[in-house]
């Protein structure tokens, strides 16, 4: 076969393969959409939720709700899935793989500028729950975000909320986004290893990673945003972060299911507000403590102040998030974001009632 004819044949095969893959993808998306809100195997209404790291304390209400049996009590069959970064949970939601995402509220603003409408239906937190850590080696050179220039800074993923917050802290302190290098290192062991081997000079992470770093004496805290006070100091106001957010069209067409989900989460947040960190830690899967129950309980205790008691969006929270994103994100800086479409209190108000 002549070369040109052979290339033509190969191209034809490639088109057929691509068409087949596209058809499969479309079938999968249709299947997910059709299954959403349907009855499972006698267990109740089936819902898939992607979490940006199930073992992260900032997203603890997701697994805790399941462990407390509150999903079951609402007649729901909830499947919790996990990705290492919130931006990956966002992708799973937008692509139709899941019906809900547990991640940072700030993704709802970013997505709106891309003409994709999602909204927070229950707000877990009023502070980021994040900590900026620096390695022991770099601690002398990085004493504030003003020293980020020329440094390699770890984030869970590029385009993640840790990436967003790191960029804001830099810009707020006179450092251009182009002056430092964000490095996607995930969380847990991968973050700790990157800090210890010099792949990053510092980075933003959450508990239990923070507790493990301090226990290993592998780094030092530069900024602590696990409390409302820490959020106010670093970001200028309350910063609603971890939440359950869903595509607006899906919310509007499955209100009964959404209400049941919110009822379950509000019960959990209320339960957390009346129990100790040790009691909360004891309810979580055994492997979350990585063999050190006391250290894990301490991680929970350090992060508890970030959580709301009722799932309600904190007053002025959306405005703080918008201010943070506009500082460095050109898409949002040059766009008009309708904050009223990024969250709803409809379901939490009914849950409280």
């Amino acid at each position: 076969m002549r070369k040109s004819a052979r290339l033509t044949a190969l191209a034809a095969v490639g088109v057929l393969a691509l068409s087949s893959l596209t058809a499969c993808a479309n079938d999968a998306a249709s299947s997910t959409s059709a299954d959403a809100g349907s009855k499972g195997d006698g267990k109740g209404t089936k819902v898939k939720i992607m979490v940006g790291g199930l073992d992260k304390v900032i997203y603890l209400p997701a697994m805790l709700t399941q462990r407390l049996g509150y999903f079951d009590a609402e007649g729901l069959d909830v499947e919790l899935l996990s990705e290492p970064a919130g931006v990956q949970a966002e992708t799973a939601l937008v692509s139709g793989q899941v019906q809900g995402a547990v991640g940072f509220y700030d993704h709802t603003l970013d997505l709106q500028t891309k003409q994709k409408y999602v909204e927070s239906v229950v707000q877990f937190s009023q502070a980021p729950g994040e900590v900026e850590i620096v390695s022991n080696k770099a601690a002398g050179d990085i004493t504030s975000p003003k020293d980020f220039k020329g440094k390699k800074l770890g984030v869970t993923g590029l385009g993640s909320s840790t990436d967003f917050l790191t960029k804001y802290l830099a810009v707020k302190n006179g450092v251009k986004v182009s002056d430092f290098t964000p490095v996607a290192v995930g969380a847990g062991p991968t973050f700790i290893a990157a800090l210890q081997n010099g792949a990053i000079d510092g980075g933003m992470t959450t508990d239990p990673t923070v507790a493990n770093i301090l226990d290993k004496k592998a780094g030092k805290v530069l900024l602590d945003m696990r409390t409302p006070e820490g959020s106010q100091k670093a970001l200028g106001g309350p910063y609603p972060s971890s939440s359950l957010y869903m595509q607006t069209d899906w919310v509007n067409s499955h209100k009964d299911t959404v209400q049941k989900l919110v009822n379950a989460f509000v019960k959990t947040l209320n339960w957390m507000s009346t129990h100790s960190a040790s009691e909360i830690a004891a309810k979580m899967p055994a492997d979350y403590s990585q063999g050190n129950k006391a250290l894990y309980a301490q991680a929970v205790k350090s992060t508890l102040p970030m959580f709301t008691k009722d799932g309600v969006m904190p007053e002025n929270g959306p405005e703080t998030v918008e201010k943070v994103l506009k500082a460095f994100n050109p898409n949002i800086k040059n766009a008009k974001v309708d904050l009223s479409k990024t969250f709803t209190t409809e379901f939490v108000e009914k849950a409280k009632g």
Side-chain angles (χ1 to χ4, degrees):
M1 187 183 290
R2 288 166 53 186
K3 184 177 181 181
S4 59
R6 187 163 62 248
L7 288 174
T8 302
L10 287 171
V13 171
V15 170
L16 284 171
L18 182 59
S19 299
S20 177
L21 286 171
T22 302
C24 289
N26 289 338
D27 287 346
S30 299
S31 173
T32 301
S33 180
D35 290 344
S38 66
K39 292 291 182 181
D41 299 328
K43 298 179 181 178
T45 304
K46 178 76 175 178
V47 182
K48 291 182 180 180
I49 297 176
M50 184 66 79
V51 184
L54 260 175
D55 59 350
K56 295 177 183 175
V57 179
I58 56 171
Y59 299 141
L60 179 148
M63 179 57 74
L64 182 58
T65 302
Q66 191 172 76
R67 303 282 286 191
L68 290 171
Y70 291 159
F71 290 137
D72 290 340
E74 291 290 334
L76 298 172
D77 177 14
V78 174
E79 182 180 359
L80 296 174
L81 305 167
S82 186
E83 287 282 6
V87 67
Q88 292 160 325
E90 170 200 294
T91 300
L93 176 69
V94 173
S95 66
Q97 296 175 48
V98 295
Q99 291 76 56
V102 169
F104 270 39
Y105 160 73
D106 54 22
H107 291 291
T108 67
L109 281 73
D110 188 49
L111 285 169
Q112 191 182 118
T113 67
K114 300 167 185 172
Q115 305 305 308
K116 298 183 187 298
Y117 290 87
V118 303
E119 60 187 18
S120 165
V121 296
V122 56
Q123 195 62 47
F124 298 164
S125 60
Q126 55 194 334
E130 303 281 355
V131 177
E132 185 70 26
I133 292 271
V134 293
S135 69
N136 292 329
K137 183 179 179 181
D141 297 326
I142 307 176
T143 58
S144 86
K146 292 179 181 179
D147 302 320
F148 282 177
K149 186 173 182 179
K151 301 298 188 290
K152 295 173 292 184
L153 301 175
V155 297
T156 51
L158 300 181
S160 67
S161 297
T162 51
D163 189 22
F164 289 166
L165 287 170
T166 301
K167 287 175 178 174
Y168 173 73
L169 291 173
V171 171
K172 180 188 176 186
N173 287 275
V175 179
K176 295 178 183 177
V177 170
S178 58
D179 285 344
F180 69 92
T181 305
V183 183
V185 292
T190 54
F191 185 101
I192 297 171
L195 195 71
Q196 290 178 317
N197 65 28
I200 56 174
D201 300 299
M204 191 171 292
T205 191
T206 61
D207 276 311
T209 306
V210 175
N212 277 295
I213 289 171
L214 298 180
D215 184 59
K216 295 174 185 290
K217 296 180 170 51
K220 299 177 180 177
V221 172
L222 182 69
L223 283 172
D224 191 337
M225 296 178 283
R226 290 176 289 188
T227 66
E229 295 76 19
S231 177
Q232 179 72 42
K233 184 177 179 180
L235 306 172
Y239 197 92
S241 55
S242 55
S243 65
L244 171 67
Y245 62 86
M246 314 179 87
Q247 296 203 55
T248 300
D249 286 346
W250 199 90
V251 171
N252 292 336
S253 59
H254 296 79
K255 288 200 171 189
D256 183 56
T257 300
V258 176
Q259 186 63 62
K260 291 176 180 178
L261 283 167
V262 173
N263 289 347
F265 280 124
V266 170
K267 286 179 189 175
T268 297
L269 291 167
N270 182 259
W271 188 92
M272 289 169 62
S273 72
T274 58
H275 289 75
S276 69
S278 295
E279 290 172 319
I280 295 168
K283 288 289 184 181
M284 302 304 285
D287 61 336
Y288 282 20
S289 67
Q290 297 178 24
N292 192 330
K293 292 181 179 179
L295 187 63
Y296 181 67
Q298 180 57 49
V300 172
K301 184 178 181 180
S302 298
T303 306
L304 270 181
M306 74 176 276
F307 293 107
T308 68
K309 296 179 181 179
D310 53 13
V312 175
M313 175 66 73
E315 187 175 356
N316 300 321
E319 289 78 8
T320 303
V321 173
E322 183 180 33
K323 178 197 73 174
V324 166
L325 296 182
K326 278 184 177 292
F328 68 86
N329 188 322
N331 292 335
I332 294 180
K333 186 175 184 178
N334 301 320
K336 181 170 177 57
V337 177
D338 186 344
L339 293 177
S340 70
K341 292 182 179 179
T342 60
F343 71 98
T344 177
T345 59
E346 173 186 350
F347 302 99
V348 288
E349 292 299 341
K350 288 181 181 177
K352 287 198 306 175

